[in-house]
C-alpha cells in the first residue's frame, strides 16, 4: 500500500539555523504531495504542496521539491524562527481511483526552535 | 469565511457511553474524512465519505460509526465498543482540483 516515511524527530534548532526534514514515499499511482503544519492544540494547516514531478512548493520561506526519481519531498527552510516551532507532517494523496482524496500521512516531526 | 467547524473542542466520555463529534463544512466539498491522532503518531483514517449518503471504512473503523445525510455534515459517533477512545479527532474535507485537504480545529476526547 501507499506509505510516507519522515525522518525521526524531534528536531531542535537555534533561531536562524537551516532546516531539513526528510520525507520519502511509496505509491502505486501518481500522487500529489503535501506538507502540513500543526501548532499545539490545533488542526492541520497546509504549508505547501506539489502535484507533479519536479514541481517545487513554497510558502513562508519553506520549500520542497517533488523528486520522482528518489520518491522524496524533503522540507527545507534557510533560516528558522521561534514561531516555526510546530509538528510537521508529510502526506500524499492519489489523483485517481477509489483512493482519491484519502491522505496518507507520515508520523510527524516535532520541531522546536530556541532563541 | 469558508471552512470546517468541529465541535465541541473538548469532550469527556464516561465508560460505556456513546458520544458524537460534530463536523460541518461550508466549502461545498463532496469528500469528507475523519482522522484520529495519538501522541507521537501520525493521523490514521477512521471513515471517509466521497458523496452524500455513502461512506467507507478507513484503517481503524472498529468502534466508530458515521452518517452523511447532508453534504455539509459528517458526524462521527464513538461507541462504547471503542476500547481506547482517548485521542485527538480531526475532520477534513477535500477539494478536487487542485487537490487540497482542509482541516477543522479538532476535538479532544477524554474518557473519564
Amino acid at each position: 500500500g501507499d506509505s510516507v516515511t519522515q525522518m525521526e524527530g524531534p528536531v531542535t534548532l537555534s533561531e536562524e539555523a537551516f532546516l531539513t526534514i526528510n520525507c520519502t514515499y511509496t505509491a502505486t499511482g501518481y500522487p500529489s504531495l503535501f506538507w502540513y503544519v500543526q501548532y499545539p492544540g490545533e488542526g492541520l494547516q497546509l504549508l505547501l504542496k506539489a502535484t507533479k514531478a519536479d514541481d517545487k512548493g513554497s510558502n513562508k520561506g519553506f520549500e520542497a521539491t517533488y523528486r520522482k526519481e528518489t520518491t522524496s519531498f524533503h522540507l527545507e527552510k534557510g533560516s528558522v524562527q521561534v514561531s516555526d516551532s510546530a509538528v510537521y507532517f508529510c502526506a500524499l494523496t492519489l489523483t485517481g481511483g477509489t483512493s482519491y482524496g484519502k491522505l496518507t500521512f507520515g508520523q510527524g516531526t516535532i520541531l522546536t526552535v530556541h532563541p | 469565511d469558508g471552512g470546517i467547524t468541529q465541535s465541541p473542542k473538548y469532550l469527556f466520555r464516561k465508560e460505556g457511553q456513546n458520544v458524537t463529534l460534530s463536523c460541518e463544512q461550508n466549502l461545498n466539498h463532496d469528500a469528507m474524512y475523519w482522522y484520529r491522532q495519538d501522541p507521537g503518531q501520525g493521523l490514521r483514517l477512521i471513515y471517509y465519505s466521497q458523496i452524500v449518503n455513502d461512506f467507507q471504512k478507513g484503517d481503524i473503523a472498529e468502534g466508530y460509526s458515521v452518517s452523511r445525510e447532508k453534504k455539509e455534515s459528517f458526524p462521527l459517533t464513538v461507541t462504547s465498543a471503542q476500547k481506547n477512545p482517548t485521542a485527538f479527532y480531526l475532520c477534513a474535507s477535500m477539494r478536487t482540483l487542485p487537490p487540497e485537504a482542509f482541516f477543522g480545529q479538532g476535538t479532544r476526547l477524554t474518557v473519564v
Side-chain angles (χ1 to χ4, degrees):
Chain A
D2 305 326
S3 66
V4 175
T5 302
Q6 288 181 234
M7 66 181 289
E8 295 192 11
V11 175
T12 302
L13 296 172
S14 298
E15 206 166 25
E16 298 184 3
F18 184 85
L19 169 71
T20 299
I21 301 177
N22 290 338
C23 171
T24 57
Y25 68 90
T26 58
T28 52
Y30 299 96
S32 294
L33 302 174
F34 307 86
W35 277 100
Y36 282 87
V37 59
Q38 184 180 36
Y39 298 101
E42 297 186 7
L44 274 66
Q45 301 173 25
L46 179 67
L47 181 59
L48 54 83
K49 65 183 178 184
T51 57
K52 60 182 187 296
D54 300 324
D55 271 0
K56 176 185 282 189
S58 61
N59 186 27
K60 300 180 182 178
F62 291 90
E63 293 184 340
T65 301
Y66 188 162
R67 301 287 188 198
K68 188 176 179 182
E69 63 276 13
T70 55
T71 61
S72 65
F73 192 55
H74 305 321
L75 182 68
E76 296 182 337
K77 186 174 186 182
S79 177
V80 294
Q81 305 300 312
V82 172
S83 57
D84 293 327
S85 298
V87 184
Y88 292 81
F89 290 95
C90 186
L92 68 80
T93 189
L94 294 180
T95 52
T98 57
S99 296
Y100 181 74
K102 291 168 58 180
L103 281 165
T104 299
F105 288 89
Q107 68 270 37
T109 300
I110 300 172
L111 171 65
T112 303
V113 180
H114 293 297
Chain B
D1 286 339
I4 309 282
T5 302
Q6 288 187 243
S7 62
K9 189 172 176 66
Y10 299 97
L11 186 57
F12 297 91
R13 190 194 94 168
K14 294 182 180 179
E15 294 281 353
Q17 273 186 339
N18 292 353
V19 291
T20 298
L21 284 59
S22 171
C23 178
E24 303 279 332
Q25 56 107 351
N26 60 4
L27 299 168
N28 200 34
H29 293 161
D30 287 316
M32 297 185 73
Y33 305 83
W34 275 104
Y35 292 90
R36 170 179 171 142
Q37 185 179 21
D38 294 287
Q41 298 190 33
L43 279 69
R44 294 182 290 170
L45 182 64
I46 305 172
Y47 267 99
Y48 66 102
S49 169
Q50 293 180 316
I51 199 167
V52 174
N53 292 321
D54 188 45
F55 49 83
Q56 307 295 330
K57 292 181 179 180
D59 301 318
I60 56 164
E62 184 175 354
Y64 300 97
S65 65
V66 294
S67 63
R68 187 81 187 279
E69 298 176 1
K70 299 186 301 182
K71 189 175 189 177
E72 302 80 14
S73 179
F74 191 41
L76 173 74
T77 297
V78 184
T79 74
S80 57
Q82 171 48 240
K83 299 305 180 187
N84 185 23
T86 295
F88 191 52
Y89 291 87
L90 287 161
C91 179
S93 70
M94 178 69 82
R95 182 180 64 198
T96 304
L97 290 171
E100 182 178 339
F102 296 79
F103 284 84
Q105 291 299 296
T107 293
R108 186 166 298 281
L109 174 62
T110 304
V111 174
V112 296

